[in-house]
Amino acid sequence: MLIGRPPDIVSSDITPEHVFRQRRELIKAAGLGGILALGGWRHLGFAAGTGHQPALQHIQKTTYGREEKLTSYRDITSYNNFYEFGTSKEQPAENAGRFKTAPWTIAVEGEVLKPRQLGMEELMKLAPLEERIYRMRCVEGWSMVIPWVGIPLASLIKLVQPTANAKFIEFISAADDATMPGVRAPILDWPYREALRLDEARHPLTILALGLYGEMLPGQNGAPVRLVVPWKYGFKGGKSIVRIRFVEKMPQTTWMRAASTEYGFYANVNPTVDHPRWSQASERRIGTGLFTKRIATQMFNGYAEQVGQLYTGMDLRKHF
Ligand SMILES: Nc1nc2c(c(=O)[nH]1)N[C@H]1C(S)=C(S)[C@@H](COP(=O)(O)O)O[C@H]1N2
Ligand SMILES: [Mo]
């Protein structure tokens, strides 16, 4: 078995029938069943490219996002922002193939009582894998509905035990200039950095995603592990994370450094606060056709009931 998960939940119970069937065909075709049974994470260093990925085992279904129509696997994995692989939407899928995602370790450090170097197997033991269907909204004005597979970030925070000084968490992405062509160009100040306030990081909606559509993440979506914060603009979700730092002071993020008047620390989805160069009132749902009517963007991307209280008393025009 790939990872030690409670044996009472089988993936056929929790995965949409068509996805499961399709995946079984694929695993048979690629002989991946054997690799997964024998292997462990370190044999899976090919989690990039455009094809399907190995299945994740024992995913618990949750009620999140059940009412939404999912964006197709193809759209989710071929229309990406991942500037380390190039700035066009197509380049990440084209260029992520040489990026090595196994073995992988995340250094968890800073203001914690128990700093750790976590391998993927250890990370996956922190909590049962859950499916979380989330609306995702890019600051550019498009959105998707993505069936992520992941664990609550709170489970990692609990493991390392933040000190009383820890107020923020910083997420640092990989920056390997040998395999990431974008990193060789001065597009952004590499490595890509994002950060959350500790209470945002602990919120039950915040996850570390390891997969989508029941499979391991493809390289272009942030393999092997990335942050997902569904009430914030997409850029808050740092991909291919190698370092997580607990700190006392609010960190400068990559996008704040690149354009501080356009990208603030909070980056909460908010239809009433426009980007200085465009409106944020509506969005285009990817996969519904170029000429389909845009839909209204919701406050906190539709998660206001769950996360609104995190921002009580704050001026969200100032803290954009
Ligand atoms: N390391 C890194 N993380 C990143 C980005 C990036 O360029 N580099 N782009 C961000 C942006 S702008 C968005 S919209 C989302 C896109 O995630 P997706 O391609 O999985 O939909 O990733 C975010 N995470
Ligand atoms: Mo984005």
Side-chain angles (χ1 to χ4, degrees):
M1 190 55 59
L2 177 56
I3 319 287
R5 289 265 140 265
D8 51 318
I9 315 150
V10 295
S11 53
S12 55
D13 289 342
I14 49 83
T15 309
E17 172 61 17
H18 69 282
V19 176
F20 183 66
R21 230 185 303 120
Q22 180 188 14
R23 177 206 297 165
R24 234 184 4 212
E25 292 309 305
L26 172 98
I27 290 174
K28 261 197 306 205
L32 290 180
I35 293 174
L36 286 177
L38 288 170
W41 196 269
R42 74 208 136 83
H43 294 286
L44 300 172
F46 52 89
T50 48
H52 276 270
Q53 304 298 319
L56 287 161
Q57 304 294 319
H58 306 305
I59 305 162
Q60 299 194 353
K61 265 223 181 314
T62 59
T63 54
Y64 295 95
R66 294 255 144 256
E67 70 287 354
E68 300 273 355
K69 185 178 182 305
L70 302 185
T71 303
S72 72
Y73 183 84
R74 200 187 160 71
D75 283 337
I76 295 170
T77 60
S78 61
Y79 189 87
N80 301 100
N81 273 337
F82 199 166
Y83 281 12
E84 287 85 335
F85 293 111
T87 54
S88 80
K89 295 290 180 279
E90 298 76 31
Q91 277 172 324
E94 289 163 9
N95 293 336
R98 291 205 309 126
F99 181 57
K100 246 184 122 254
T101 58
W104 193 272
T105 12
I106 305 179
V108 190
E109 58 192 36
E111 289 290 347
V112 292
L113 296 175
K114 307 230 151 103
R116 292 285 297 266
Q117 300 268 346
L118 279 178
M120 292 305 290
E121 273 100 349
E122 290 169 286
L123 187 70
M124 292 173 91
K125 279 185 199 133
L126 293 182
L129 284 179
E130 292 175 36
E131 184 188 71
R132 300 282 187 98
I133 298 170
Y134 285 161
R135 289 179 289 275
M136 303 301 298
R137 168 62 155 85
C138 177
V139 75
E140 295 162 353
W142 49 268
S143 62
M144 299 190 187
V145 178
I146 304 185
W148 299 110
V149 178
I151 60 168
L153 178 61
S155 61
L156 180 142
I157 297 174
K158 203 170 143 205
L159 175 79
V160 296
Q161 300 175 30
T163 69
N165 293 333
K167 301 286 179 334
F168 296 90
I169 311 186
E170 196 180 18
F171 302 86
I172 299 155
S173 296
D176 176 29
D177 54 15
T179 55
M180 296 173 137
V183 170
R184 280 173 241 145
I187 306 163
L188 289 172
D189 185 9
W190 312 114
Y192 191 98
R193 289 164 189 271
E194 260 309 334
L196 297 172
R197 220 167 57 189
L198 189 57
D199 58 344
E200 298 177 317
R202 277 197 174 115
H203 191 280
L205 285 176
T206 305
I207 59 168
L208 286 174
L210 292 85
L212 58 86
Y213 268 113
E215 303 173 358
M216 291 165 61
L217 286 178
Q220 60 269 34
N221 293 92
V225 53
R226 60 89 59 84
L227 181 67
V228 173
V229 194
W231 70 93
K232 291 177 181 280
Y233 291 119
F235 67 85
K236 294 300 287 183
K239 292 176 168 181
S240 305
I241 292 169
V242 292
R243 213 140 68 87
I244 298 181
R245 279 167 41 82
F246 290 69
V247 296
E248 185 165 7
K249 300 225 165 65
M250 180 183 281
Q252 275 276 102
T253 67
T254 294
W255 282 107
M256 288 164 78
R257 218 167 293 191
S260 62
T261 55
E262 304 193 7
Y263 307 106
F265 178 84
Y266 284 95
N268 291 316
V269 174
N270 186 343
T272 71
V273 176
D274 288 341
H275 185 279
R277 291 184 282 136
W278 59 82
S279 161
Q280 293 292 33
S282 71
E283 66 203 55
R284 180 170 68 90
R285 191 55 62 81
I286 297 296
T288 55
L290 270 181
F291 304 104
T292 315
K293 236 179 98 206
R294 292 173 69 90
I295 54 178
T297 290
Q298 301 178 65
M299 189 63 204
F300 296 115
N301 206 23
Y303 300 97
E305 223 175 274
Q306 293 98 311
V307 303
Q309 86 285 349
L310 291 171
Y311 309 102
T312 315
M314 283 176 65
D315 179 354
L316 297 178
R317 300 200 153 268
K318 203 168 133 221
H319 301 284
F320 60 90

Short mmCIF file of all heavy atoms in Angstrom, two decimals, residues 10-69:
data_model
loop_
_atom_site.label_atom_id
_atom_site.label_comp_id
_atom_site.label_asym_id
_atom_site.label_seq_id
_atom_site.Cartn_x
_atom_site.Cartn_y
_atom_site.Cartn_z
N VAL A 10 -12.46 2.34 1.02
CA VAL A 10 -11.80 2.03 -0.25
C VAL A 10 -12.12 3.13 -1.26
O VAL A 10 -13.15 3.76 -1.18
CB VAL A 10 -12.22 0.65 -0.82
CG1 VAL A 10 -11.76 -0.45 0.11
CG2 VAL A 10 -13.69 0.58 -1.08
N SER A 11 -11.20 3.32 -2.19
CA SER A 11 -11.37 4.47 -3.06
C SER A 11 -12.60 4.35 -3.95
O SER A 11 -13.15 5.34 -4.39
CB SER A 11 -10.11 4.72 -3.90
OG SER A 11 -9.75 3.55 -4.57
N SER A 12 -13.08 3.13 -4.20
CA SER A 12 -14.28 2.99 -5.03
C SER A 12 -15.51 3.53 -4.31
O SER A 12 -16.51 3.87 -4.94
CB SER A 12 -14.50 1.54 -5.43
OG SER A 12 -14.54 0.74 -4.29
N ASP A 13 -15.45 3.62 -2.98
CA ASP A 13 -16.60 4.16 -2.23
C ASP A 13 -16.71 5.67 -2.36
O ASP A 13 -17.77 6.24 -2.16
CB ASP A 13 -16.44 3.89 -0.73
CG ASP A 13 -16.63 2.44 -0.40
OD1 ASP A 13 -17.20 1.72 -1.24
OD2 ASP A 13 -16.20 2.02 0.68
N ILE A 14 -15.61 6.29 -2.65
CA ILE A 14 -15.58 7.72 -2.43
C ILE A 14 -15.26 8.52 -3.70
O ILE A 14 -15.19 9.70 -3.67
CB ILE A 14 -14.57 8.09 -1.33
CG1 ILE A 14 -13.21 7.42 -1.55
CG2 ILE A 14 -15.08 7.69 0.02
CD1 ILE A 14 -12.31 8.08 -2.47
N THR A 15 -15.09 7.84 -4.80
CA THR A 15 -14.70 8.54 -6.03
C THR A 15 -15.84 8.42 -7.03
O THR A 15 -16.44 7.37 -7.14
CB THR A 15 -13.44 7.88 -6.61
OG1 THR A 15 -12.47 7.79 -5.57
CG2 THR A 15 -12.87 8.68 -7.75
N PRO A 16 -16.15 9.51 -7.73
CA PRO A 16 -17.21 9.40 -8.74
C PRO A 16 -16.94 8.22 -9.67
O PRO A 16 -15.81 7.99 -10.06
CB PRO A 16 -17.12 10.72 -9.49
CG PRO A 16 -16.40 11.65 -8.58
CD PRO A 16 -15.54 10.83 -7.68
N GLU A 17 -18.00 7.52 -9.98
CA GLU A 17 -17.88 6.27 -10.72
C GLU A 17 -17.05 6.42 -12.00
O GLU A 17 -16.15 5.63 -12.26
CB GLU A 17 -19.30 5.75 -11.04
CG GLU A 17 -19.39 4.57 -11.97
CD GLU A 17 -18.69 3.32 -11.45
OE1 GLU A 17 -18.40 3.24 -10.25
OE2 GLU A 17 -18.41 2.43 -12.28
N HIS A 18 -17.32 7.47 -12.78
CA HIS A 18 -16.63 7.58 -14.06
C HIS A 18 -15.13 7.81 -13.85
O HIS A 18 -14.30 7.27 -14.56
CB HIS A 18 -17.23 8.68 -14.92
CG HIS A 18 -16.99 10.06 -14.40
ND1 HIS A 18 -17.71 10.58 -13.35
CD2 HIS A 18 -16.10 11.01 -14.75
CE1 HIS A 18 -17.28 11.80 -13.10
NE2 HIS A 18 -16.30 12.08 -13.92
N VAL A 19 -14.79 8.56 -12.83
CA VAL A 19 -13.37 8.84 -12.56
C VAL A 19 -12.67 7.55 -12.15
O VAL A 19 -11.59 7.22 -12.62
CB VAL A 19 -13.22 9.87 -11.42
CG1 VAL A 19 -11.74 10.08 -11.09
CG2 VAL A 19 -13.86 11.18 -11.80
N PHE A 20 -13.36 6.80 -11.31
CA PHE A 20 -12.77 5.57 -10.81
C PHE A 20 -12.53 4.58 -11.93
O PHE A 20 -11.47 3.98 -12.04
CB PHE A 20 -13.70 4.96 -9.76
CG PHE A 20 -13.14 3.73 -9.12
CD1 PHE A 20 -12.01 3.81 -8.33
CD2 PHE A 20 -13.71 2.49 -9.34
CE1 PHE A 20 -11.47 2.69 -7.74
CE2 PHE A 20 -13.18 1.36 -8.76
CZ PHE A 20 -12.06 1.46 -7.96
N ARG A 21 -13.53 4.45 -12.82
CA ARG A 21 -13.41 3.49 -13.91
C ARG A 21 -12.28 3.88 -14.85
O ARG A 21 -11.44 3.09 -15.21
CB ARG A 21 -14.72 3.43 -14.70
CG ARG A 21 -15.19 1.99 -14.88
CD ARG A 21 -16.43 1.89 -15.75
NE ARG A 21 -17.54 2.68 -15.26
CZ ARG A 21 -18.11 3.67 -15.95
NH1 ARG A 21 -17.66 4.02 -17.13
NH2 ARG A 21 -19.13 4.31 -15.43
N GLN A 22 -12.26 5.17 -15.17
CA GLN A 22 -11.26 5.71 -16.07
C GLN A 22 -9.87 5.50 -15.48
O GLN A 22 -8.92 5.13 -16.15
CB GLN A 22 -11.57 7.20 -16.19
CG GLN A 22 -10.70 8.02 -17.06
CD GLN A 22 -11.08 9.50 -16.87
OE1 GLN A 22 -11.78 9.87 -15.93
NE2 GLN A 22 -10.60 10.34 -17.74
N ARG A 23 -9.76 5.70 -14.19
CA ARG A 23 -8.48 5.58 -13.53
C ARG A 23 -8.01 4.13 -13.50
O ARG A 23 -6.84 3.84 -13.69
CB ARG A 23 -8.63 6.10 -12.10
CG ARG A 23 -7.39 5.96 -11.29
CD ARG A 23 -7.71 5.88 -9.83
NE ARG A 23 -8.34 7.10 -9.36
CZ ARG A 23 -8.98 7.16 -8.21
NH1 ARG A 23 -9.07 6.11 -7.44
NH2 ARG A 23 -9.51 8.27 -7.83
N ARG A 24 -8.98 3.21 -13.33
CA ARG A 24 -8.61 1.80 -13.30
C ARG A 24 -8.03 1.36 -14.64
O ARG A 24 -7.04 0.66 -14.70
CB ARG A 24 -9.80 0.93 -12.95
CG ARG A 24 -9.47 0.06 -11.77
CD ARG A 24 -10.51 -0.93 -11.35
NE ARG A 24 -11.69 -1.00 -12.15
CZ ARG A 24 -12.89 -1.31 -11.65
NH1 ARG A 24 -13.03 -1.51 -10.37
NH2 ARG A 24 -13.92 -1.39 -12.43
N GLU A 25 -8.66 1.87 -15.71
CA GLU A 25 -8.17 1.57 -17.07
C GLU A 25 -6.74 2.06 -17.19
O GLU A 25 -5.86 1.37 -17.65
CB GLU A 25 -9.02 2.32 -18.11
CG GLU A 25 -10.45 1.81 -18.21
CD GLU A 25 -10.50 0.32 -18.40
OE1 GLU A 25 -9.87 -0.16 -19.35
OE2 GLU A 25 -11.15 -0.38 -17.58
N LEU A 26 -6.55 3.27 -16.74
CA LEU A 26 -5.27 3.93 -16.86
C LEU A 26 -4.21 3.17 -16.07
O LEU A 26 -3.10 2.93 -16.55
CB LEU A 26 -5.42 5.33 -16.30
CG LEU A 26 -4.15 6.10 -16.17
CD1 LEU A 26 -4.05 6.99 -17.39
CD2 LEU A 26 -4.13 6.90 -14.91
N ILE A 27 -4.54 2.80 -14.87
CA ILE A 27 -3.57 2.10 -14.02
C ILE A 27 -3.21 0.77 -14.64
O ILE A 27 -2.05 0.38 -14.69
CB ILE A 27 -4.13 1.92 -12.59
CG1 ILE A 27 -4.19 3.29 -11.91
CG2 ILE A 27 -3.28 0.96 -11.78
CD1 ILE A 27 -4.86 3.28 -10.57
N LYS A 28 -4.23 0.09 -15.19
CA LYS A 28 -3.96 -1.18 -15.87
C LYS A 28 -3.01 -0.93 -17.04
O LYS A 28 -2.00 -1.60 -17.19
CB LYS A 28 -5.27 -1.78 -16.40
CG LYS A 28 -5.82 -2.87 -15.50
CD LYS A 28 -6.85 -3.72 -16.21
CE LYS A 28 -7.94 -2.87 -16.82
NZ LYS A 28 -9.22 -3.47 -17.03
N ALA A 29 -3.36 0.09 -17.82
CA ALA A 29 -2.59 0.38 -19.03
C ALA A 29 -1.13 0.68 -18.69
O ALA A 29 -0.21 0.22 -19.36
CB ALA A 29 -3.20 1.55 -19.78
N ALA A 30 -0.91 1.42 -17.66
CA ALA A 30 0.46 1.86 -17.34
C ALA A 30 1.16 0.91 -16.38
O ALA A 30 2.33 1.10 -16.06
CB ALA A 30 0.41 3.26 -16.75
N GLY A 31 0.46 -0.10 -15.91
CA GLY A 31 1.06 -0.99 -14.92
C GLY A 31 1.33 -0.28 -13.60
O GLY A 31 2.17 -0.68 -12.82
N LEU A 32 0.58 0.77 -13.35
CA LEU A 32 0.86 1.57 -12.17
C LEU A 32 0.40 0.91 -10.88
O LEU A 32 0.91 1.19 -9.81
CB LEU A 32 0.18 2.94 -12.28
CG LEU A 32 0.79 3.86 -13.31
CD1 LEU A 32 0.04 5.17 -13.34
CD2 LEU A 32 2.26 4.11 -12.99
N GLY A 33 -0.60 0.03 -11.02
CA GLY A 33 -1.07 -0.67 -9.82
C GLY A 33 0.11 -1.32 -9.11
O GLY A 33 0.26 -1.22 -7.90
N GLY A 34 0.96 -1.97 -9.87
CA GLY A 34 2.12 -2.64 -9.30
C GLY A 34 3.08 -1.66 -8.65
O GLY A 34 3.56 -1.89 -7.54
N ILE A 35 3.29 -0.56 -9.31
CA ILE A 35 4.21 0.43 -8.75
C ILE A 35 3.66 0.95 -7.42
O ILE A 35 4.37 1.05 -6.43
CB ILE A 35 4.39 1.63 -9.72
CG1 ILE A 35 5.14 1.15 -10.97
CG2 ILE A 35 5.17 2.75 -9.04
CD1 ILE A 35 5.26 2.20 -12.05
N LEU A 36 2.36 1.22 -7.41
CA LEU A 36 1.78 1.75 -6.18
C LEU A 36 1.84 0.72 -5.06
O LEU A 36 2.11 1.06 -3.92
CB LEU A 36 0.33 2.19 -6.43
CG LEU A 36 0.19 3.49 -7.21
CD1 LEU A 36 -1.28 3.80 -7.45
CD2 LEU A 36 0.85 4.63 -6.48
N ALA A 37 1.60 -0.54 -5.43
CA ALA A 37 1.59 -1.59 -4.41
C ALA A 37 3.00 -1.80 -3.85
O ALA A 37 3.19 -1.95 -2.65
CB ALA A 37 1.06 -2.89 -5.01
N LEU A 38 3.99 -1.80 -4.70
CA LEU A 38 5.35 -2.10 -4.27
C LEU A 38 6.08 -0.90 -3.72
O LEU A 38 6.93 -1.01 -2.85
CB LEU A 38 6.17 -2.59 -5.48
CG LEU A 38 5.84 -3.96 -6.01
CD1 LEU A 38 6.55 -4.18 -7.34
CD2 LEU A 38 6.23 -5.02 -5.00
N GLY A 39 5.74 0.24 -4.25
CA GLY A 39 6.68 1.33 -4.32
C GLY A 39 6.76 2.28 -3.18
O GLY A 39 7.70 2.31 -2.43
N GLY A 40 5.80 3.11 -3.01
CA GLY A 40 6.01 4.26 -2.15
C GLY A 40 6.35 5.44 -3.02
O GLY A 40 6.52 5.34 -4.23
N TRP A 41 6.37 6.57 -2.38
CA TRP A 41 6.44 7.85 -3.07
C TRP A 41 7.67 7.98 -3.95
O TRP A 41 7.64 8.54 -5.02
CB TRP A 41 6.41 8.96 -2.02
CG TRP A 41 6.09 10.25 -2.62
CD1 TRP A 41 6.98 11.17 -3.11
CD2 TRP A 41 4.80 10.80 -2.86
NE1 TRP A 41 6.33 12.25 -3.62
CE2 TRP A 41 4.99 12.05 -3.47
CE3 TRP A 41 3.49 10.36 -2.61
CZ2 TRP A 41 3.92 12.85 -3.83
CZ3 TRP A 41 2.45 11.17 -2.96
CH2 TRP A 41 2.66 12.39 -3.57
N ARG A 42 8.79 7.46 -3.49
CA ARG A 42 10.04 7.76 -4.22
C ARG A 42 10.09 7.15 -5.60
O ARG A 42 10.91 7.53 -6.42
CB ARG A 42 11.24 7.35 -3.37
CG ARG A 42 11.52 5.90 -3.28
CD ARG A 42 12.24 5.58 -1.95
NE ARG A 42 11.62 4.39 -1.37
CZ ARG A 42 11.96 3.17 -1.74
NH1 ARG A 42 12.90 2.98 -2.63
NH2 ARG A 42 11.35 2.13 -1.22
N HIS A 43 9.20 6.17 -5.90
CA HIS A 43 9.18 5.63 -7.26
C HIS A 43 8.30 6.44 -8.20
O HIS A 43 8.17 6.11 -9.36
CB HIS A 43 8.67 4.18 -7.24
CG HIS A 43 9.61 3.27 -6.53
ND1 HIS A 43 10.80 2.89 -7.08
CD2 HIS A 43 9.56 2.73 -5.30
CE1 HIS A 43 11.44 2.11 -6.21
NE2 HIS A 43 10.71 2.00 -5.13
N LEU A 44 7.69 7.46 -7.67
CA LEU A 44 6.67 8.16 -8.45
C LEU A 44 7.17 9.50 -8.94
O LEU A 44 6.48 10.49 -8.92
CB LEU A 44 5.41 8.33 -7.62
CG LEU A 44 4.81 7.00 -7.17
CD1 LEU A 44 3.67 7.25 -6.19
CD2 LEU A 44 4.32 6.19 -8.35
N GLY A 45 8.39 9.53 -9.42
CA GLY A 45 9.00 10.80 -9.81
C GLY A 45 8.57 11.30 -11.17
O GLY A 45 9.27 12.07 -11.80
N PHE A 46 7.41 10.89 -11.63
CA PHE A 46 6.98 11.33 -12.96
C PHE A 46 5.64 12.03 -12.89
O PHE A 46 4.88 12.05 -13.83
CB PHE A 46 6.87 10.12 -13.91
CG PHE A 46 6.05 9.01 -13.34
CD1 PHE A 46 4.68 8.98 -13.57
CD2 PHE A 46 6.63 8.02 -12.58
CE1 PHE A 46 3.91 7.98 -13.02
CE2 PHE A 46 5.86 7.02 -12.04
CZ PHE A 46 4.51 6.99 -12.26
N ALA A 47 5.38 12.64 -11.75
CA ALA A 47 4.06 13.26 -11.56
C ALA A 47 3.93 14.59 -12.27
O ALA A 47 3.40 15.54 -11.77
CB ALA A 47 3.78 13.43 -10.07
N ALA A 48 4.47 14.69 -13.47
CA ALA A 48 4.35 15.92 -14.25
C ALA A 48 3.93 15.54 -15.66
O ALA A 48 3.86 14.37 -16.00
CB ALA A 48 5.69 16.63 -14.25
N GLY A 49 3.67 16.54 -16.49
CA GLY A 49 3.23 16.25 -17.85
C GLY A 49 1.72 16.42 -17.95
O GLY A 49 1.09 16.91 -17.03
N THR A 50 1.15 16.01 -19.04
CA THR A 50 -0.26 16.29 -19.27
C THR A 50 -1.18 15.10 -19.05
O THR A 50 -2.39 15.26 -18.99
CB THR A 50 -0.47 16.80 -20.72
OG1 THR A 50 0.23 15.92 -21.59
CG2 THR A 50 0.03 18.21 -20.87
N GLY A 51 -0.62 13.88 -18.96
CA GLY A 51 -1.47 12.70 -18.82
C GLY A 51 -2.03 12.58 -17.42
O GLY A 51 -1.82 13.43 -16.58
N HIS A 52 -2.78 11.50 -17.19
CA HIS A 52 -3.29 11.26 -15.85
C HIS A 52 -2.17 10.81 -14.93
O HIS A 52 -1.10 10.38 -15.38
CB HIS A 52 -4.40 10.22 -15.90
CG HIS A 52 -5.72 10.84 -16.23
ND1 HIS A 52 -6.58 11.30 -15.27
CD2 HIS A 52 -6.31 11.11 -17.41
CE1 HIS A 52 -7.65 11.81 -15.84
NE2 HIS A 52 -7.51 11.71 -17.16
N GLN A 53 -2.40 10.88 -13.65
CA GLN A 53 -1.40 10.58 -12.62
C GLN A 53 -1.83 9.36 -11.81
O GLN A 53 -2.99 8.96 -11.84
CB GLN A 53 -1.24 11.79 -11.69
CG GLN A 53 -0.88 13.08 -12.40
CD GLN A 53 0.44 13.00 -13.12
OE1 GLN A 53 1.40 12.43 -12.59
NE2 GLN A 53 0.51 13.54 -14.31
N PRO A 54 -0.90 8.78 -11.05
CA PRO A 54 -1.27 7.65 -10.20
C PRO A 54 -2.37 8.03 -9.20
O PRO A 54 -2.43 9.16 -8.73
CB PRO A 54 0.03 7.32 -9.46
CG PRO A 54 1.11 7.85 -10.35
CD PRO A 54 0.55 9.06 -11.00
N ALA A 55 -3.22 7.06 -8.91
CA ALA A 55 -4.33 7.31 -7.98
C ALA A 55 -3.83 7.42 -6.55
O ALA A 55 -2.86 6.79 -6.17
CB ALA A 55 -5.32 6.16 -8.08
N LEU A 56 -4.51 8.24 -5.77
CA LEU A 56 -4.27 8.30 -4.34
C LEU A 56 -5.26 7.34 -3.67
O LEU A 56 -6.39 7.19 -4.14
CB LEU A 56 -4.49 9.72 -3.82
CG LEU A 56 -3.37 10.71 -4.21
CD1 LEU A 56 -3.86 12.14 -4.09
CD2 LEU A 56 -2.14 10.49 -3.35
N GLN A 57 -4.83 6.70 -2.61
CA GLN A 57 -5.66 5.67 -1.97
C GLN A 57 -6.45 6.25 -0.79
O GLN A 57 -5.97 7.15 -0.11
CB GLN A 57 -4.76 4.53 -1.44
CG GLN A 57 -3.87 3.90 -2.51
CD GLN A 57 -4.68 3.18 -3.57
OE1 GLN A 57 -5.65 2.50 -3.27
NE2 GLN A 57 -4.28 3.34 -4.82
N HIS A 58 -7.61 5.67 -0.54
CA HIS A 58 -8.38 5.94 0.68
C HIS A 58 -8.70 7.42 0.87
O HIS A 58 -8.30 8.03 1.85
CB HIS A 58 -7.65 5.41 1.92
CG HIS A 58 -7.30 3.98 1.79
ND1 HIS A 58 -8.24 3.00 1.52
CD2 HIS A 58 -6.11 3.34 1.85
CE1 HIS A 58 -7.64 1.84 1.43
NE2 HIS A 58 -6.35 2.01 1.63
N ILE A 59 -9.40 7.95 -0.08
CA ILE A 59 -9.79 9.36 0.01
C ILE A 59 -11.18 9.43 0.63
O ILE A 59 -12.11 8.80 0.15
CB ILE A 59 -9.81 10.00 -1.38
CG1 ILE A 59 -8.46 9.83 -2.07
CG2 ILE A 59 -10.19 11.47 -1.26
CD1 ILE A 59 -8.53 10.03 -3.58
N GLN A 60 -11.31 10.20 1.70
CA GLN A 60 -12.63 10.36 2.31
C GLN A 60 -13.41 11.44 1.59
O GLN A 60 -12.89 12.51 1.32
CB GLN A 60 -12.47 10.77 3.78
CG GLN A 60 -11.73 9.73 4.58
CD GLN A 60 -11.87 9.97 6.08
OE1 GLN A 60 -12.42 10.98 6.52
NE2 GLN A 60 -11.38 9.02 6.84
N LYS A 61 -14.65 11.12 1.29
CA LYS A 61 -15.52 12.12 0.68
C LYS A 61 -15.96 13.10 1.74
O LYS A 61 -16.12 12.77 2.90
CB LYS A 61 -16.77 11.43 0.14
CG LYS A 61 -16.65 11.08 -1.31
CD LYS A 61 -17.95 11.40 -2.04
CE LYS A 61 -17.87 11.02 -3.49
NZ LYS A 61 -16.64 11.45 -4.14
N THR A 62 -16.13 14.36 1.32
CA THR A 62 -16.70 15.35 2.22
C THR A 62 -17.87 16.02 1.51
O THR A 62 -18.11 15.74 0.34
CB THR A 62 -15.65 16.43 2.61
OG1 THR A 62 -15.19 17.07 1.41
CG2 THR A 62 -14.47 15.81 3.34
N THR A 63 -18.57 16.88 2.21
CA THR A 63 -19.75 17.49 1.61
C THR A 63 -19.40 18.77 0.86
O THR A 63 -20.25 19.34 0.18
CB THR A 63 -20.79 17.84 2.70
OG1 THR A 63 -20.14 18.64 3.68
CG2 THR A 63 -21.34 16.59 3.34
N TYR A 64 -18.17 19.24 0.97
CA TYR A 64 -17.77 20.49 0.34
C TYR A 64 -18.08 20.51 -1.16
O TYR A 64 -17.66 19.62 -1.89
CB TYR A 64 -16.27 20.72 0.51
CG TYR A 64 -15.84 20.92 1.93
CD1 TYR A 64 -15.38 19.86 2.69
CD2 TYR A 64 -15.91 22.18 2.51
CE1 TYR A 64 -14.98 20.04 4.00
CE2 TYR A 64 -15.52 22.37 3.83
CZ TYR A 64 -15.07 21.30 4.56
OH TYR A 64 -14.68 21.48 5.85
N GLY A 65 -18.79 21.52 -1.60
CA GLY A 65 -18.92 21.80 -3.03
C GLY A 65 -19.72 20.81 -3.85
O GLY A 65 -19.66 20.84 -5.07
N ARG A 66 -20.48 19.95 -3.20
CA ARG A 66 -21.21 18.91 -3.93
C ARG A 66 -22.16 19.48 -4.99
O ARG A 66 -22.46 18.84 -5.97
CB ARG A 66 -22.03 18.05 -2.97
CG ARG A 66 -21.19 17.25 -2.06
CD ARG A 66 -21.16 15.78 -2.47
NE ARG A 66 -19.85 15.28 -2.20
CZ ARG A 66 -18.92 15.05 -3.13
NH1 ARG A 66 -19.19 15.23 -4.39
NH2 ARG A 66 -17.74 14.63 -2.80
N GLU A 67 -22.67 20.68 -4.76
CA GLU A 67 -23.69 21.24 -5.66
C GLU A 67 -23.07 21.82 -6.94
O GLU A 67 -23.77 22.17 -7.87
CB GLU A 67 -24.53 22.30 -4.92
CG GLU A 67 -23.81 23.60 -4.57
CD GLU A 67 -22.80 23.48 -3.42
OE1 GLU A 67 -22.70 22.39 -2.78
OE2 GLU A 67 -22.10 24.46 -3.16
N GLU A 68 -21.75 21.91 -6.98
CA GLU A 68 -21.10 22.60 -8.11
C GLU A 68 -20.82 21.64 -9.27
O GLU A 68 -20.58 20.46 -9.07
CB GLU A 68 -19.75 23.18 -7.65
CG GLU A 68 -19.84 24.17 -6.53
CD GLU A 68 -20.09 25.59 -7.02
OE1 GLU A 68 -20.09 25.80 -8.25
OE2 GLU A 68 -20.28 26.46 -6.17
N LYS A 69 -20.84 22.18 -10.48
CA LYS A 69 -20.42 21.40 -11.65
C LYS A 69 -18.90 21.51 -11.74
O LYS A 69 -18.34 22.61 -11.79
CB LYS A 69 -21.08 21.99 -12.91
CG LYS A 69 -20.79 21.16 -14.14
CD LYS A 69 -21.51 21.75 -15.36
CE LYS A 69 -21.26 20.91 -16.60
NZ LYS A 69 -19.84 20.70 -16.91
#
